[in-house]
Coordinates of all heavy atoms in Angstrom, one line a residue:
A1 N 4.9 -10.2 0.0 CA 5.2 -11.6 0.4 C 3.9 -12.4 0.2 O 4.0 -13.5 -0.4 CB 5.6 -11.6 1.8
S2 N 2.8 -11.9 0.6 CA 1.6 -12.7 0.4 C 1.2 -13.0 -1.0 O 0.9 -14.1 -1.4 CB 0.4 -12.0 1.1 OG 0.6 -11.8 2.5
E3 N 1.3 -11.9 -1.8 CA 1.0 -12.1 -3.3 C 1.9 -13.1 -4.0 O 1.5 -13.9 -4.7 CB 1.0 -10.7 -4.0 CG 0.4 -10.7 -5.4 CD 1.3 -11.3 -6.4 OE1 2.5 -11.2 -6.3 OE2 0.7 -11.9 -7.4
R4 N 3.2 -12.9 -3.7 CA 4.2 -13.8 -4.3 C 4.0 -15.3 -3.9 O 4.2 -16.2 -4.6 CB 5.6 -13.3 -4.0 CG 6.0 -12.0 -4.7 CD 6.2 -12.1 -6.2 NE 4.9 -12.1 -6.9 CZ 4.7 -12.5 -8.2 NH1 5.8 -13.0 -8.8 NH2 3.6 -12.5 -8.7
L5 N 3.7 -15.5 -2.6 CA 3.5 -16.8 -2.0 C 2.3 -17.5 -2.6 O 2.3 -18.6 -2.9 CB 3.5 -16.8 -0.5 CG 4.8 -16.5 0.2 CD1 4.7 -16.2 1.6 CD2 5.8 -17.7 0.0
V6 N 1.2 -16.7 -2.7 CA 0.0 -17.2 -3.3 C 0.2 -17.6 -4.8 O -0.2 -18.6 -5.3 CB -1.2 -16.2 -3.2 CG1 -2.3 -16.6 -4.1 CG2 -1.6 -16.0 -1.8
A7 N 1.0 -16.7 -5.5 CA 1.3 -17.0 -6.9 C 2.1 -18.3 -7.0 O 2.0 -19.0 -8.1 CB 2.1 -15.8 -7.5
A8 N 2.9 -18.6 -6.0 CA 3.7 -19.8 -6.0 C 2.9 -21.1 -5.6 O 3.5 -22.2 -5.5 CB 4.9 -19.7 -5.1
G9 N 1.7 -20.9 -5.2 CA 0.8 -22.0 -4.8 C 0.7 -22.3 -3.4 O 0.1 -23.3 -3.0
H10 N 1.1 -21.4 -2.5 CA 1.0 -21.7 -1.1 C -0.3 -21.2 -0.5 O -1.0 -20.3 -1.1 CB 2.2 -20.9 -0.3 CG 3.5 -21.4 -0.7 ND1 4.0 -22.7 -0.4 CD2 4.5 -20.9 -1.5 CE1 5.2 -22.8 -0.8 NE2 5.6 -21.8 -1.5
D11 N -0.7 -21.8 0.6 CA -1.9 -21.4 1.3 C -1.6 -20.3 2.3 O -1.0 -20.5 3.4 CB -2.5 -22.6 2.0 CG -3.8 -22.4 2.8 OD1 -4.3 -21.2 2.6 OD2 -4.2 -23.2 3.6
V12 N -2.0 -19.1 2.0 CA -1.5 -17.9 2.7 C -2.7 -17.2 3.4 O -3.8 -17.0 2.8 CB -0.8 -16.9 1.8 CG1 -0.4 -15.6 2.5 CG2 0.4 -17.5 1.1
T13 N -2.5 -16.8 4.7 CA -3.3 -15.9 5.4 C -2.5 -14.7 5.8 O -1.5 -14.8 6.4 CB -3.9 -16.6 6.7 OG1 -4.7 -17.7 6.3 CG2 -4.8 -15.6 7.4
L14 N -3.0 -13.5 5.3 CA -2.3 -12.2 5.7 C -3.1 -11.6 6.8 O -4.4 -11.4 6.7 CB -2.3 -11.3 4.5 CG -1.9 -9.8 4.8 CD1 -0.5 -9.8 5.3 CD2 -2.0 -9.0 3.6
L15 N -2.5 -11.4 7.9 CA -3.1 -10.8 9.1 C -2.7 -9.3 9.2 O -1.5 -9.0 9.4 CB -2.7 -11.5 10.4 CG -3.0 -13.0 10.4 CD1 -2.3 -13.7 11.5 CD2 -4.5 -13.2 10.5
D16 N -3.7 -8.4 9.0 CA -3.4 -7.0 9.0 C -4.2 -6.3 10.1 O -5.4 -6.5 10.2 CB -3.8 -6.4 7.7 CG -3.3 -5.0 7.5 OD1 -2.9 -4.3 8.4 OD2 -3.3 -4.5 6.3
A17 N -3.5 -5.6 11.0 CA -4.2 -5.0 12.1 C -5.0 -3.8 11.7 O -5.9 -3.4 12.5 CB -3.2 -4.5 13.2
E18 N -4.8 -3.3 10.5 CA -5.5 -2.1 10.0 C -6.5 -2.4 8.9 O -6.2 -3.2 8.0 CB -4.5 -1.0 9.5 CG -3.5 -0.6 10.5 CD -4.1 0.2 11.7 OE1 -5.2 0.8 11.5 OE2 -3.6 0.1 12.8
P19 N -7.7 -1.8 8.9 CA -8.6 -2.0 7.8 C -8.1 -1.6 6.5 O -8.4 -2.2 5.5 CB -9.9 -1.2 8.2 CG -9.7 -1.0 9.7 CD -8.2 -0.9 10.0
R20 N -7.3 -0.5 6.5 CA -6.7 0.0 5.3 C -5.4 -0.6 5.0 O -4.5 -0.6 5.8 CB -6.6 1.6 5.4 CG -6.0 2.2 4.1 CD -5.6 3.7 4.4 NE -4.7 3.8 5.5 CZ -3.3 3.6 5.3 NH1 -2.8 3.3 4.2 NH2 -2.6 3.8 6.4
A21 N -5.2 -1.2 3.8 CA -4.0 -1.9 3.5 C -2.9 -0.8 3.1 O -3.2 0.2 2.6 CB -4.2 -2.8 2.3
G22 N -1.6 -1.2 3.3 CA -0.6 -0.3 2.9 C 0.4 0.2 3.9 O 1.4 0.7 3.5
G23 N 0.0 0.1 5.2 CA 0.9 0.7 6.2 C 1.2 2.1 6.0 O 0.3 3.0 6.0
L24 N 2.5 2.5 5.9 CA 2.9 3.9 5.7 C 2.4 4.5 4.4 O 2.3 5.7 4.3 CB 4.4 4.0 5.9 CG 5.0 4.0 7.2 CD1 6.5 4.0 7.2 CD2 4.6 5.2 8.1
I25 N 2.2 3.7 3.4 CA 1.7 4.2 2.1 C 0.2 4.6 2.3 O -0.6 3.8 2.5 CB 1.9 3.2 1.0 CG1 3.3 2.8 0.8 CG2 1.3 3.7 -0.3 CD1 3.6 1.7 -0.2
H26 N 0.0 5.9 2.1 CA -1.4 6.4 2.4 C -1.6 7.6 1.5 O -0.9 8.6 1.6 CB -1.6 6.7 3.8 CG -3.0 7.1 4.2 ND1 -3.3 7.8 5.3 CD2 -4.2 6.9 3.5 CE1 -4.6 8.0 5.4 NE2 -5.1 7.5 4.3
S27 N -2.6 7.6 0.6 CA -2.9 8.7 -0.3 C -4.3 9.2 0.1 O -5.2 8.4 0.3 CB -3.0 8.2 -1.7 OG -1.8 7.5 -2.1
E28 N -4.4 10.5 0.3 CA -5.7 11.1 0.6 C -6.1 12.2 -0.4 O -5.2 13.0 -0.9 CB -5.6 11.8 2.0 CG -5.5 10.9 3.2 CD -5.7 11.6 4.5 OE1 -6.2 12.8 4.5 OE2 -5.4 11.0 5.5
R29 N -7.3 12.2 -0.8 CA -7.8 13.2 -1.7 C -8.8 14.2 -1.0 O -9.8 13.7 -0.4 CB -8.5 12.6 -2.9 CG -8.7 13.5 -4.1 CD -9.3 12.8 -5.3 NE -8.4 12.0 -6.0 CZ -7.5 12.4 -6.9 NH1 -7.3 13.7 -7.1 NH2 -6.7 11.5 -7.5
R30 N -8.5 15.5 -1.1 CA -9.4 16.5 -0.5 C -9.6 17.7 -1.5 O -8.6 18.3 -1.9 CB -8.9 17.0 0.8 CG -8.7 16.0 1.9 CD -8.2 16.6 3.2 NE -7.6 15.7 4.1 CZ -6.9 16.0 5.1 NH1 -6.6 17.3 5.4 NH2 -6.4 15.1 5.9
D31 N -10.8 18.0 -1.8 CA -11.1 19.2 -2.6 C -10.3 19.3 -3.8 O -9.8 20.4 -4.2 CB -10.9 20.5 -1.7 CG -11.8 20.5 -0.5 OD1 -12.9 20.0 -0.6 OD2 -11.3 21.0 0.6
G32 N -10.0 18.2 -4.5 CA -9.3 18.2 -5.7 C -7.8 18.0 -5.5 O -7.0 17.9 -6.5
F33 N -7.3 18.1 -4.3 CA -5.8 17.9 -4.0 C -5.6 16.4 -3.6 O -6.4 15.8 -2.9 CB -5.4 18.8 -2.9 CG -5.3 20.3 -3.3 CD1 -6.4 21.1 -3.2 CD2 -4.1 20.8 -3.7 CE1 -6.4 22.4 -3.5 CE2 -4.1 22.2 -4.1 CZ -5.2 23.0 -4.0
L34 N -4.5 15.9 -4.0 CA -4.1 14.5 -3.7 C -2.8 14.5 -2.8 O -1.8 14.9 -3.3 CB -3.9 13.6 -4.9 CG -3.6 12.2 -4.7 CD1 -4.6 11.5 -3.9 CD2 -3.3 11.5 -6.0
F35 N -2.9 14.1 -1.6 CA -1.8 14.1 -0.7 C -1.2 12.7 -0.4 O -1.9 11.7 -0.4 CB -2.2 14.6 0.7 CG -3.1 15.9 0.7 CD1 -4.4 15.9 1.1 CD2 -2.6 17.1 0.2 CE1 -5.2 17.0 1.1 CE2 -3.3 18.2 0.2 CZ -4.6 18.2 0.6
E36 N 0.1 12.7 -0.3 CA 0.8 11.5 0.1 C 1.3 11.7 1.5 O 2.1 12.6 1.8 CB 2.0 11.1 -0.8 CG 1.6 10.8 -2.2 CD 0.9 9.5 -2.4 OE1 0.7 8.8 -1.4 OE2 0.5 9.1 -3.5
T37 N 0.8 11.0 2.5 CA 1.1 11.3 3.9 C 2.4 10.5 4.3 O 3.0 10.7 5.3 CB 0.0 10.9 4.8 OG1 -0.1 9.5 4.9 CG2 -1.3 11.5 4.4
G38 N 2.8 9.5 3.5 CA 4.0 8.7 3.7 C 4.9 8.7 2.5 O 5.1 9.8 1.9
P39 N 5.4 7.6 2.0 CA 6.2 7.6 0.8 C 5.5 8.2 -0.3 O 4.3 8.1 -0.5 CB 6.4 6.0 0.5 CG 6.2 5.4 1.9 CD 5.2 6.2 2.6
Q40 N 6.3 9.0 -1.2 CA 5.7 9.9 -2.2 C 5.8 9.3 -3.6 O 4.9 9.6 -4.4 CB 6.4 11.2 -2.1 CG 6.0 12.3 -3.1 CD 7.0 12.5 -4.1 OE1 8.0 11.7 -4.3 NE2 6.8 13.5 -4.9
A41 N 6.7 8.4 -3.9 CA 6.9 7.9 -5.2 C 7.7 6.6 -5.1 O 8.3 6.3 -4.1 CB 7.5 8.9 -6.1
I42 N 7.8 5.9 -6.2 CA 8.7 4.7 -6.4 C 9.6 5.0 -7.5 O 9.3 5.7 -8.5 CB 7.9 3.5 -6.7 CG1 6.8 3.2 -5.6 CG2 8.8 2.2 -6.9 CD1 5.9 2.0 -5.9
L43 N 10.9 4.5 -7.4 CA 11.9 4.7 -8.4 C 11.9 3.5 -9.3 O 11.9 2.3 -8.9 CB 13.2 4.9 -7.8 CG 14.3 5.7 -8.6 CD1 13.8 7.1 -9.0 CD2 15.6 5.8 -7.8
S44 N 11.9 3.7 -10.6 CA 11.8 2.6 -11.6 C 13.2 1.9 -11.7 O 14.2 2.3 -11.1 CB 11.5 3.1 -13.0 OG 12.5 3.9 -13.5
G45 N 13.1 0.7 -12.4 CA 14.4 0.0 -12.6 C 14.6 -1.2 -11.8 O 15.7 -1.8 -11.9
R46 N 13.7 -1.5 -10.9 CA 13.8 -2.7 -10.0 C 12.9 -3.8 -10.5 O 11.7 -3.7 -10.6 CB 13.5 -2.3 -8.6 CG 14.3 -1.2 -8.0 CD 15.7 -1.7 -7.6 NE 15.7 -2.5 -6.5 CZ 15.8 -2.1 -5.2 NH1 16.0 -0.8 -5.0 NH2 15.7 -2.9 -4.2

């Protein structure tokens, strides 16, 4: 919403309670392994 509104010329402030952006989307890398702790992929065609 923020990106699209900014692209349309609006004055936007996004307030996020977390330092890390993305909410449930969270990828972690450890010892060469890459984990998805939330959503795992996106389906094309949209």
Side-chain angles (χ1 to χ4, degrees):
S2 299
E3 193 284 328
R4 292 288 79 199
L5 287 167
V6 168
H10 298 289
D11 179 8
V12 177
T13 300
L14 170 61
L15 301 168
D16 192 346
E18 300 295 330
R20 180 189 59 79
L24 280 174
I25 299 176
H26 186 198
S27 310
E28 288 190 17
R29 194 179 287 281
R30 300 181 197 166
D31 301 325
F33 290 87
L34 180 60
F35 313 116
E36 297 289 359
T37 71
Q40 179 252 10
I42 302 175
L43 205 58
S44 67
R46 299 286 287 271

